[in-house]
Amino acid sequence: MYAAVESEVWLVNGEKIKVAIVGSTGYGGVELIRFLWGHPRVEITSVISASSAGSLLTEGFPHLSEIVVQTLDGVDPAEIAAKADVVFTATPSGVSGKLVPELLEAGLKVIDLSGDFRIKDGSVYETWYKHTAPENGLLEKAVYGLSEIYDKKVEGAGLISNPGCYSTATLLGLIPVLDAGWIDPASIIIDAKSGVSGAGRGTSLMTHYAEINENLKAYKVNKHQHIPEIEQTLSWVAGKPVTVTFTTHLVPMTRGIMCTTYASLLGTYTEGDLIELYRGFYKGRPFVRVREKGIWPATKEVFGSNYCDIGFAADSRTGRLTIISVIDNIVKGAAGQAIQNLNLMMGWDETTGLKLSPVYP
Amino acid sequence: MYAAVESEVWLVNGEKIKVAIVGSTGYGGVELIRFLWGHPRVEITSVISASSAGSLLTEGFPHLSEIVVQTLDGVDPAEIAAKADVVFTATPSGVSGKLVPELLEAGLKVIDLSGDFRIKDGSVYETWYKHTAPENGLLEKAVYGLSEIYDKKVEGAGLISNPGCYSTATLLGLIPVLDAGWIDPASIIIDAKSGVSGAGRGTSLMTHYAEINENLKAYKVNKHQHIPEIEQTLSWVAGKPVTVTFTTHLVPMTRGIMCTTYASLLGTYTEGDLIELYRGFYKGRPFVRVREKGIWPATKEVFGSNYCDIGFAADSRTGRLTIISVIDNIVKGAAGQAIQNLNLMMGWDETTGLKLSPVYP
Amino acid sequence: MYAAVESEVWLVNGEKIKVAIVGSTGYGGVELIRFLWGHPRVEITSVISASSAGSLLTEGFPHLSEIVVQTLDGVDPAEIAAKADVVFTATPSGVSGKLVPELLEAGLKVIDLSGDFRIKDGSVYETWYKHTAPENGLLEKAVYGLSEIYDKKVEGAGLISNPGCYSTATLLGLIPVLDAGWIDPASIIIDAKSGVSGAGRGTSLMTHYAEINENLKAYKVNKHQHIPEIEQTLSWVAGKPVTVTFTTHLVPMTRGIMCTTYASLLGTYTEGDLIELYRGFYKGRPFVRVREKGIWPATKEVFGSNYCDIGFAADSRTGRLTIISVIDNIVKGAAGQAIQNLNLMMGWDETTGLKLSPVYP
Amino acid sequence: MYAAVESEVWLVNGEKIKVAIVGSTGYGGVELIRFLWGHPRVEITSVISASSAGSLLTEGFPHLSEIVVQTLDGVDPAEIAAKADVVFTATPSGVSGKLVPELLEAGLKVIDLSGDFRIKDGSVYETWYKHTAPENGLLEKAVYGLSEIYDKKVEGAGLISNPGCYSTATLLGLIPVLDAGWIDPASIIIDAKSGVSGAGRGTSLMTHYAEINENLKAYKVNKHQHIPEIEQTLSWVAGKPVTVTFTTHLVPMTRGIMCTTYASLLGTYTEGDLIELYRGFYKGRPFVRVREKGIWPATKEVFGSNYCDIGFAADSRTGRLTIISVIDNIVKGAAGQAIQNLNLMMGWDETTGLKLSPVYP
């Protein structure tokens, strides 16, 4: 499906590429390890953690016993470059911005899972993230890795900025209908809900079990840092500035994002029309699945997998479209899409190492 | 706070009124029992169940052991009238519509928790509920018991139609700002989320533990039967027809409803303005609590209690208002508001028997 | 039921006693507030927090908005004594041991919810708790407040040491049959399971939502600090040293403890015999409920309430007895029993302020 | 590792065997599909459901969209034999007993996931299962497929009886130490806890979300039908009759079993001794992992995978051993072990198609 690219020349006869993972003790990091362990063209040569260097990965993650028995390395770009060809940086925003330039300089290809290289306008980044933006050249160089949309740019890229979890679910759900000109770009409202793992492994009262179990919370209403990322991409697609209303909620479950997106239809489109539009748009892209009429996806139906499932309701009473899109926030919203981008970058089939069924129930 | 009403003449010197509960083995029924057990002016004289008559209530609900030790009665209007002054019908839609006329005829005052008497236009009822509507006279006679709004009508009423759970959360959140003329009535979108107990105690695959745990589902998108109830009330308030977009989601928790409601602001109103408006509107009504600026309520903060908590975000970027309102679906969304209506009907303080703090955590 | 005691002389004509709560921002503290708010003979005159003094209680606990609107005080024994007659110390082990003597000296009656005064032998305390024990005189003076067993000692006491949560569930389940001499004291094995709130409100990886949701963990196997407390009380009852095997598990739920206790029967006792024994033993004690034959209690059946429910299985194949006892760890296992002890201390009906039904579902 | 067996002669040059799954719409059935979809030597040629024949598998299980797009077949032994070489029967007890003989007669090899062929003594089966036992010859022929213990018998077998979920966790945890003669066989007590998926996909009040969420229940105390299976196997190992005390609990989570097993040690064995014993016993068997001293496994650490993880506590105070063993009840406790048995039966590496890491968190 993808032409062989320059990266491919590294590999001879089934040789594997060597990858390193910075941030191996976060949820994004261990999920990269889960998938890469079974990836037929990859060898994990270094698992890296600034905070736990020197200890065994399995001390914190006994579920990996007998699977990945490696000692955690510290963060040293030269050492990483000596061990690996490609590095995943599953590091917090603010950290990636400083580390990635050093990794690139050391000759590595980088797939960054933080938000630091997603926003092309450094000042917008600084407004929403409260960190200093990476220098402009790098922001331009970084390819925004929304795999189903920007796959051609990802091929052969040296720095991929992996999209945010909310952004992925929202954008895959909205882009086809916005691109088709069927909705009013000024009318978009996104009501997003996430499982708690999206907040990461750092402890806080917000993610304390007794505070979030049997509870539903809104947070960062209209303030979430994925807003500028979503607006930037929607604006690219619409060809003009798009502003959205965006609410995030924390749901008492570990994994899963659902975005319920509302927009005014500019014509009389049925659910059948929409299904046809989306199936056409995503033809040949196995990780996007469009539900039948009257069926909406649930988060558990993508649990543990790289799928994004989408369903619709077109309401003739109000002229509004409701789009429901779901992903597993740690997979398609982070580690899975990062590996999908690795596959695209390397010119491999995009499903390589990612063909795992959702775990149900 | 409320003038003594005719009902009051029944009672002398701390005498208690006698109440019966039809549908005692559903979640609404047992929750009525939980609160009425501690209600100082009420005596439960009959717990009734069509399906389990003759067995002990505690067989199905051992949590009530040593609390309410009663044998379940069958559904016999004459017998109920012999035992009680007021009857709560926590019966399914379609059942109440037939039973309530008989109970009224037998001389009982009725507080009905089903949807059968909420919609004033019988044909609208039939469209959404797929049952035959009760006769018109009764629909007119039934007072829609949204306690904070229609308290004056509830006083002394003989038939109260207790609002739906989603409707209560939505309407208490929307009415003040709609009544003030601050929002465009054509712009209302309600993204509603509910705990699973809202689906009742009847078993189904939808409420099967392994299907809903660690899962988030949308259902009945634009088709939920609370839509006409919400639209009817909003239309009364706005003085013209209001149509809404309404999505319902099932959240993996037992209790709690959150409605995230979106509307376009017709002027430049700050969150401070909104808080002031709402606190004024609900002055003297202890069960509605308005959060401080930048704080949004979570469902657990009303768990087990009759409160409705409300918070706001006014977004100057989009000109939209986001209202977040939460209730416990079984309490303020059913049994608690029904008892609040009993209190209002009888001319008692509306908090009588309902002064229970939320259970946290 | 209880003779008037000296404490009672404080109160004239429905006057309320004044209570203070140290540790108001922990789960035990807010639960004390939930119950004491509705207690007819108590006024909360000071809510105290070492870490949050000066801020409003409702900042951390918005569920108490419009309920308890008080500013948190600092920990100052003289100031507490000026405001209150009785103080609850819901402080961590190690802290209570130092604070309680000062509170007693200031003239207060103290009900301590920590483990610091439970173990009569200071050296045993130090082995299991790793803190210096309070001085011996105080350990002797402190009454171990297992309400149903030591109620007579609690009456009029000046220092009550409230039992641990696991200990309460275990002991109420075991004491009648041990006291009757029906089991071999050397054969006791307790398999205990707790909801996560038992670990308190301090954040940790162990109580991080994504780590404990959809997970079941054992912890502190044979090392839990409630072991010496259980053994001490069982030894008192048996009249000779009793040693137990005790395992603790963390269950993905917020509230609830279940102890499944195994022991060898010394005779041929049926489940009917056991039920009769237990119902006789706990006659007149409304907070212990013994299930019918073949019915075992579930934790949700006591959720939010002060009940301890008990069920049995006597296995003729193995000659072993299985006892299942459940409590709400924050209520009967902490705040509820502390208030029950207040009631006993004051000579009031032990259910005063505690007559709340379990919240179900 | 395993000698080529007769079955192997079917296959030439990477040809795949054809398998059918009866009971494809139960949780065991869909889990078989999840793993077999990625199994390199298997082709699923028929998915079968008595209740849903003729409809698409994905109607009930949209998570399999684009993965397994097959129409469900009815249960017809001749048709199955025409399509497949091996059939998995994930059918209820009582059903398998009648169906399996017909499948064998039709020339199929059968791996049965029900309890119908586990108990060698038909009368014991009938006592615990309340169904008529299959005829004796078949009970003798059926190989009890506890993979790590009876792998040699499984090789080349024509009928494999896959063990129960509780039995698997209990037996893998107990057999090494019982086999070594280190514990008293008369002292065994098993406190077992299971996620709710173990109860299957059939709806009931017991598995209704609102009844089991935030709840912990004991059930079938000393009555669970896995007791005779456990006792039969322990008796084989001990060489004399072994009777156990066995309690089952339902934990509010979907997947996972933990067995906390107690036994009296017959000598002074340290945790180090036990770890060494177990690691030796399970040497070369990748699906059993023995934890380090002082570390106990949690169910989430095997979620979605075929591992059984084991940890210990040896208590010198009481002379008792506590063994904690965990599995995913649907994988190692059902579908995963069934595939492991297929692998062994076929002479393949036992991990074929099963090399999936646990999903964490």
Side-chain angles (χ1 to χ4, degrees):
Chain A
M1 180 174 183
Y2 301 98
V5 294
E6 133 209 48
S7 329
E8 190 70 341
V9 301
W10 302 344
L11 304 178
V12 281
N13 298 337
E15 194 189 352
K16 296 181 171 189
I17 64 158
K18 292 170 183 162
V19 308
I21 299 159
V22 186
S24 287
T25 57
Y27 290 146
V30 288
E31 191 72 347
L32 282 165
I33 292 169
R34 175 167 78 95
F35 280 100
L36 291 173
W37 175 59
H39 194 296
R41 308 193 70 170
V42 163
E43 182 189 0
I44 303 172
T45 53
S46 178
V47 289
I48 296 159
S49 164
S51 57
S52 308
S55 58
L56 278 170
L57 175 62
T58 49
E59 272 178 41
F61 299 97
H63 75 281
L64 291 172
S65 299
E66 316 288 330
I67 294 177
V68 177
V69 188
Q70 293 191 8
T71 300
L72 291 157
D73 292 326
V75 186
D76 177 334
E79 197 190 319
I80 298 171
K83 289 189 171 179
D85 308 308
V86 178
V87 60
F88 293 91
T89 46
T91 31
S93 289
V95 173
S96 281
K98 286 170 191 146
L99 176 63
V100 165
E102 300 176 34
L103 295 168
L104 290 169
E105 195 128 323
L108 287 149
K109 289 179 177 278
V110 180
I111 300 174
D112 178 48
L113 282 77
S114 86
D116 284 356
F117 296 91
R118 294 179 193 151
I119 311 296
K120 296 303 166 192
D121 181 335
S123 69
V124 171
Y125 169 85
E126 292 177 356
T127 300
W128 290 84
Y129 281 84
K130 321 290 180 202
H131 298 295
T132 306
E135 50 116 347
N136 257 353
L138 269 190
L139 291 181
E140 271 164 38
K141 180 183 161 71
V143 171
Y144 184 66
L146 188 62
S147 310
E148 277 75 12
I149 309 299
Y150 299 112
D151 50 337
K152 295 300 174 204
K153 293 189 176 176
V154 168
E155 285 181 33
L159 169 57
I160 293 166
S161 174
N162 211 55
C165 50
Y166 284 121
S167 314
T168 297
T170 299
L171 293 170
L172 292 179
L174 259 175
I175 285 175
V177 75
L178 180 67
D179 176 69
W182 291 10
I183 58 168
D184 175 2
S187 69
I188 299 169
I189 294 173
I190 302 140
D191 192 280
K193 300 101 179 164
S194 177
V196 183
S197 64
R201 203 172 186 229
T203 63
S204 71
L205 197 57
M206 176 120 180
T207 55
H208 192 54
Y209 184 85
E211 300 284 322
I212 199 65
N213 179 43
E214 188 70 10
N215 199 359
L216 177 66
K217 293 188 186 194
Y219 70 105
K220 290 192 185 177
V221 182
N222 294 324
K223 305 285 187 208
H224 197 282
Q225 70 276 10
H226 290 177
I227 293 176
E229 179 183 344
I230 291 168
E231 291 182 345
Q232 170 180 275
T233 310
L234 294 180
S235 300
W236 290 341
V237 172
K240 61 179 176 184
V242 176
T243 310
V244 301
T245 289
F246 186 79
T247 310
T248 38
H249 304 78
L250 218 47
V251 176
M253 60 186 192
T254 300
R255 288 171 178 247
I257 279 181
M258 178 182 287
C259 291
T260 310
T261 301
Y262 303 93
S264 298
L265 284 165
L266 294 175
T268 308
Y269 301 101
T270 66
E271 284 154 15
D273 296 335
L274 288 152
I275 291 169
E276 196 184 331
L277 174 71
Y278 276 67
R279 290 193 173 160
F281 191 94
Y282 289 118
K283 198 170 156 60
R285 309 312 296 264
F287 288 129
V288 179
R289 305 188 293 192
V290 179
R291 284 281 180 290
E292 297 296 322
K293 180 170 151 57
I295 308 291
W296 303 284
T299 59
K300 203 177 181 74
E301 292 163 9
V302 297
F303 187 100
S305 80
N306 200 47
Y307 292 95
C308 174
D309 288 5
I310 304 175
F312 310 97
D315 190 11
S316 57
R317 298 171 66 251
T318 61
R320 286 198 194 96
L321 170 63
T322 306
I323 305 166
I324 293 176
S325 52
V326 300
I327 60 169
D328 182 319
N329 56 301
I330 318 187
V331 189
K332 184 63 177 171
Q337 187 159 239
I339 294 169
Q340 192 179 355
N341 282 324
L342 171 71
N343 291 338
L344 293 171
M345 186 173 100
M346 298 299 295
W348 303 331
D349 184 300
E350 68 182 329
T351 67
T352 313
L354 293 170
K355 291 189 68 168
L356 293 189
S357 161
V359 179
Y360 192 95
Chain B
M1 176 174 186
Y2 300 99
V5 293
E6 135 210 44
S7 329
E8 190 69 343
V9 300
W10 303 343
L11 305 178
V12 280
N13 299 337
E15 197 189 348
K16 296 182 170 188
I17 65 159
K18 294 170 182 161
V19 308
I21 298 160
V22 186
S24 287
T25 57
Y27 290 146
V30 288
E31 192 72 346
L32 281 165
I33 292 169
R34 176 166 77 95
F35 280 100
L36 291 173
W37 176 59
H39 194 296
R41 308 190 72 169
V42 163
E43 182 189 358
I44 303 172
T45 53
S46 178
V47 289
I48 297 159
S49 163
S51 58
S52 307
S55 58
L56 279 171
L57 176 61
T58 49
E59 271 178 41
F61 298 98
H63 76 282
L64 292 173
S65 298
E66 316 289 329
I67 293 178
V68 177
V69 188
Q70 294 191 7
T71 300
L72 290 158
D73 293 326
V75 185
D76 177 334
E79 197 191 320
I80 298 172
K83 288 190 175 181
D85 309 308
V86 178
V87 60
F88 293 91
T89 46
T91 30
S93 289
V95 173
S96 281
K98 285 170 192 147
L99 176 62
V100 165
E102 300 176 33
L103 295 169
L104 290 169
E105 195 128 323
L108 287 150
K109 288 176 178 280
V110 179
I111 299 174
D112 178 47
L113 283 77
S114 86
D116 283 356
F117 296 91
R118 293 179 194 150
I119 311 297
K120 297 301 167 193
D121 181 334
S123 69
V124 172
Y125 170 85
E126 291 177 356
T127 301
W128 290 85
Y129 281 84
K130 319 289 180 204
H131 298 296
T132 306
E135 50 117 346
N136 257 353
L138 269 191
L139 291 181
E140 270 163 41
K141 180 182 159 74
V143 171
Y144 183 65
L146 188 62
S147 311
E148 276 75 13
I149 309 299
Y150 299 113
D151 49 339
K152 295 299 175 204
K153 294 190 175 176
V154 168
E155 285 181 31
L159 170 56
I160 293 166
S161 174
N162 212 53
C165 50
Y166 284 121
S167 313
T168 297
T170 299
L171 293 171
L172 292 179
L174 258 176
I175 285 176
V177 75
L178 181 66
D179 176 69
W182 291 10
I183 58 166
D184 175 2
S187 69
I188 298 170
I189 294 172
I190 301 140
D191 191 281
K193 300 102 178 163
S194 177
V196 184
S197 64
R201 201 169 189 232
T203 64
S204 72
L205 197 57
M206 176 120 181
T207 56
H208 192 54
Y209 184 86
E211 298 286 321
I212 198 65
N213 179 44
E214 188 70 11
N215 199 359
L216 177 65
K217 291 189 186 191
Y219 70 105
K220 289 193 185 177
V221 181
N222 293 324
K223 305 284 186 211
H224 197 283
Q225 69 276 11
H226 289 177
I227 293 175
E229 179 184 345
I230 291 168
E231 292 182 345
Q232 170 180 275
T233 310
L234 293 179
S235 300
W236 290 341
V237 171
K240 62 178 177 185
V242 176
T243 310
V244 302
T245 289
F246 186 79
T247 311
T248 38
H249 303 80
L250 218 46
V251 177
M253 60 187 191
T254 299
R255 289 171 177 246
I257 279 181
M258 178 181 286
C259 291
T260 310
T261 302
Y262 302 92
S264 298
L265 284 165
L266 294 176
T268 309
Y269 301 101
T270 65
E271 285 154 14
D273 297 334
L274 289 152
I275 290 169
E276 197 184 330
L277 174 70
Y278 276 66
R279 290 195 173 160
F281 190 94
Y282 289 118
K283 197 169 157 59
R285 309 313 296 267
F287 288 129
V288 179
R289 305 187 294 191
V290 179
R291 284 281 181 289
E292 299 295 322
K293 181 170 149 60
I295 308 292
W296 302 284
T299 59
K300 204 178 180 74
E301 291 164 9
V302 297
F303 185 100
S305 80
N306 200 48
Y307 292 96
C308 174
D309 289 5
I310 305 175
F312 310 97
D315 189 12
S316 57
R317 298 170 67 250
T318 60
R320 286 199 194 96
L321 170 63
T322 305
I323 305 166
I324 294 176
S325 52
V326 300
I327 60 169
D328 182 318
N329 56 301
I330 318 186
V331 190
K332 184 64 177 169
Q337 186 159 240
I339 294 170
Q340 191 178 357
N341 282 325
L342 171 71
N343 291 338
L344 293 170
M345 187 173 100
M346 299 298 295
W348 303 331
D349 185 300
E350 70 182 326
T351 66
T352 313
L354 293 170
K355 289 188 69 168
L356 293 189
S357 161
V359 180
Y360 191 95
Chain C
M1 179 174 183
Y2 301 100
V5 294
E6 132 209 50
S7 330
E8 191 70 344
V9 301
W10 301 345
L11 303 178
V12 280
N13 298 336
E15 196 189 349
K16 296 180 171 191
I17 65 159
K18 293 170 182 161
V19 308
I21 299 159
V22 185
S24 287
T25 56
Y27 290 146
V30 289
E31 191 72 346
L32 282 166
I33 292 170
R34 176 166 79 94
F35 280 99
L36 290 173
W37 175 60
H39 194 296
R41 308 192 72 169
V42 163
E43 182 189 359
I44 303 172
T45 54
S46 179
V47 288
I48 296 159
S49 164
S51 58
S52 308
S55 59
L56 279 170
L57 175 62
T58 50
E59 271 179 43
F61 298 98
H63 76 282
L64 292 173
S65 298
E66 317 288 329
I67 293 177
V68 177
V69 189
Q70 294 190 9
T71 301
L72 291 157
D73 293 325
V75 184
D76 177 334
E79 198 191 318
I80 298 171
K83 289 190 172 179
D85 308 310
V86 177
V87 59
F88 292 91
T89 46
T91 31
S93 289
V95 173
S96 281
K98 286 171 190 145
L99 176 63
V100 165
E102 300 175 34
L103 295 168
L104 290 169
E105 196 130 322
L108 287 150
K109 287 176 178 281
V110 179
I111 300 173
D112 178 49
L113 283 78
S114 85
D116 284 357
F117 297 91
R118 293 179 194 151
I119 311 296
K120 296 303 166 190
D121 181 334
S123 69
V124 171
Y125 170 84
E126 292 178 356
T127 300
W128 290 85
Y129 280 84
K130 320 289 179 202
H131 298 295
T132 306
E135 50 118 346
N136 256 352
L138 269 189
L139 291 181
E140 270 163 41
K141 180 181 159 73
V143 172
Y144 184 65
L146 189 62
S147 310
E148 277 75 12
I149 309 299
Y150 299 112
D151 49 338
K152 295 301 174 200
K153 294 189 177 178
V154 168
E155 285 181 33
L159 170 57
I160 293 165
S161 174
N162 211 54
C165 50
Y166 284 121
S167 313
T168 297
T170 299
L171 293 170
L172 292 178
L174 260 176
I175 285 176
V177 75
L178 181 65
D179 176 68
W182 291 10
I183 57 167
D184 175 3
S187 70
I188 299 170
I189 294 173
I190 301 142
D191 192 281
K193 301 101 178 165
S194 177
V196 184
S197 64
R201 204 172 186 229
T203 64
S204 71
L205 196 57
M206 177 120 179
T207 56
H208 191 54
Y209 184 86
E211 299 285 320
I212 198 65
N213 179 44
E214 187 70 10
N215 199 359
L216 177 65
K217 291 188 187 193
Y219 71 105
K220 290 192 185 178
V221 182
N222 294 324
K223 305 284 186 208
H224 197 283
Q225 70 276 10
H226 289 177
I227 294 175
E229 179 184 344
I230 291 167
E231 292 182 345
Q232 170 180 275
T233 311
L234 294 179
S235 299
W236 290 340
V237 172
K240 60 178 177 185
V242 176
T243 310
V244 302
T245 289
F246 186 78
T247 310
T248 39
H249 303 80
L250 218 47
V251 176
M253 60 186 193
T254 299
R255 288 171 178 247
I257 279 181
M258 177 181 287
C259 290
T260 310
T261 301
Y262 302 93
S264 298
L265 284 165
L266 294 175
T268 308
Y269 302 101
T270 66
E271 285 154 15
D273 296 335
L274 288 153
I275 291 169
E276 196 183 332
L277 173 71
Y278 277 67
R279 290 195 172 159
F281 190 94
Y282 289 118
K283 197 168 158 60
R285 310 312 297 265
F287 288 129
V288 178
R289 306 187 294 192
V290 179
R291 285 280 182 289
E292 297 296 323
K293 182 169 149 58
I295 309 292
W296 302 284
T299 60
K300 204 177 181 74
E301 292 163 9
V302 297
F303 186 100
S305 81
N306 200 49
Y307 293 96
C308 174
D309 289 5
I310 304 175
F312 310 96
D315 191 10
S316 57
R317 299 170 66 251
T318 60
R320 285 198 194 97
L321 169 64
T322 306
I323 305 166
I324 294 177
S325 52
V326 300
I327 60 169
D328 182 319
N329 57 302
I330 319 186
V331 190
K332 185 63 178 171
Q337 187 159 241
I339 294 170
Q340 191 178 357
N341 282 324
L342 171 70
N343 292 337
L344 293 171
M345 186 173 101
M346 299 298 294
W348 303 332
D349 185 299
E350 70 182 327
T351 67
T352 313
L354 292 171
K355 290 188 68 169
L356 293 187
S357 161
V359 180
Y360 192 94
Chain D
M1 179 174 183
Y2 301 98
V5 294
E6 130 210 49
S7 331
E8 189 68 344
V9 300
W10 303 343
L11 304 179
V12 280
N13 299 337
E15 195 188 350
K16 296 181 171 191
I17 65 159
K18 292 170 183 162
V19 308
I21 298 160
V22 186
S24 287
T25 57
Y27 290 145
V30 288
E31 191 72 347
L32 281 165
I33 293 169
R34 176 166 78 94
F35 281 100
L36 290 174
W37 174 59
H39 194 296
R41 308 192 71 168
V42 164
E43 182 188 0
I44 302 172
T45 54
S46 178
V47 289
I48 297 159
S49 164
S51 58
S52 308
S55 59
L56 278 171
L57 176 62
T58 50
E59 272 178 42
F61 298 98
H63 76 281
L64 291 173
S65 298
E66 316 289 329
I67 293 177
V68 177
V69 189
Q70 293 191 8
T71 300
L72 290 157
D73 292 326
V75 185
D76 177 334
E79 197 189 321
I80 298 171
K83 288 189 173 182
D85 309 308
V86 177
V87 60
F88 292 91
T89 46
T91 30
S93 289
V95 174
S96 281
K98 286 170 191 146
L99 177 62
V100 166
E102 301 175 33
L103 296 169
L104 290 169
E105 196 129 321
L108 287 150
K109 289 178 178 280
V110 180
I111 300 174
D112 178 48
L113 283 78
S114 85
D116 284 357
F117 296 91
R118 293 179 194 151
I119 311 296
K120 295 303 165 189
D121 181 333
S123 68
V124 171
Y125 169 85
E126 292 178 355
T127 299
W128 291 84
Y129 280 85
K130 320 289 180 203
H131 298 295
T132 306
E135 50 118 345
N136 257 352
L138 269 190
L139 291 180
E140 270 163 41
K141 179 182 160 74
V143 172
Y144 184 64
L146 187 63
S147 310
E148 277 75 12
I149 309 299
Y150 299 111
D151 50 337
K152 294 301 173 201
K153 294 188 176 178
V154 168
E155 284 181 34
L159 168 57
I160 293 166
S161 174
N162 212 54
C165 50
Y166 285 121
S167 313
T168 298
T170 299
L171 293 170
L172 292 179
L174 260 175
I175 286 176
V177 75
L178 180 66
D179 176 69
W182 291 10
I183 57 167
D184 175 3
S187 69
I188 298 170
I189 294 174
I190 301 141
D191 191 281
K193 299 102 179 165
S194 177
V196 183
S197 64
R201 202 170 186 232
T203 64
S204 71
L205 196 58
M206 176 119 179
T207 55
H208 192 53
Y209 184 85
E211 300 285 322
I212 198 66
N213 179 43
E214 188 69 10
N215 199 359
L216 176 64
K217 290 187 187 194
Y219 70 105
K220 290 192 185 176
V221 181
N222 294 324
K223 306 284 186 208
H224 197 283
Q225 70 276 11
H226 289 176
I227 294 175
E229 179 184 344
I230 291 168
E231 292 182 344
Q232 170 180 274
T233 311
L234 294 180
S235 300
W236 290 341
V237 172
K240 61 179 176 184
V242 176
T243 310
V244 301
T245 289
F246 186 77
T247 311
T248 39
H249 304 80
L250 218 47
V251 176
M253 59 186 194
T254 299
R255 288 170 179 248
I257 279 181
M258 176 182 287
C259 291
T260 310
T261 301
Y262 302 93
S264 298
L265 284 165
L266 294 175
T268 308
Y269 301 101
T270 66
E271 286 154 15
D273 296 334
L274 288 152
I275 292 170
E276 197 184 330
L277 174 71
Y278 276 66
R279 291 195 172 159
F281 190 94
Y282 289 118
K283 197 169 158 58
R285 309 313 295 265
F287 288 129
V288 179
R289 305 187 294 191
V290 179
R291 285 281 181 288
E292 298 295 322
K293 182 170 150 55
I295 308 291
W296 302 283
T299 59
K300 205 179 179 72
E301 291 163 10
V302 297
F303 186 100
S305 80
N306 200 48
Y307 292 96
C308 173
D309 289 5
I310 305 175
F312 310 97
D315 190 11
S316 57
R317 298 171 67 250
T318 60
R320 286 198 194 97
L321 169 64
T322 306
I323 305 166
I324 294 176
S325 52
V326 301
I327 60 169
D328 182 319
N329 56 300
I330 319 186
V331 190
K332 184 62 178 170
Q337 187 159 240
I339 295 170
Q340 190 178 356
N341 282 325
L342 170 70
N343 291 338
L344 293 171
M345 186 173 100
M346 298 298 295
W348 302 332
D349 184 300
E350 69 182 327
T351 67
T352 313
L354 293 170
K355 291 189 69 172
L356 293 189
S357 161
V359 180
Y360 193 94

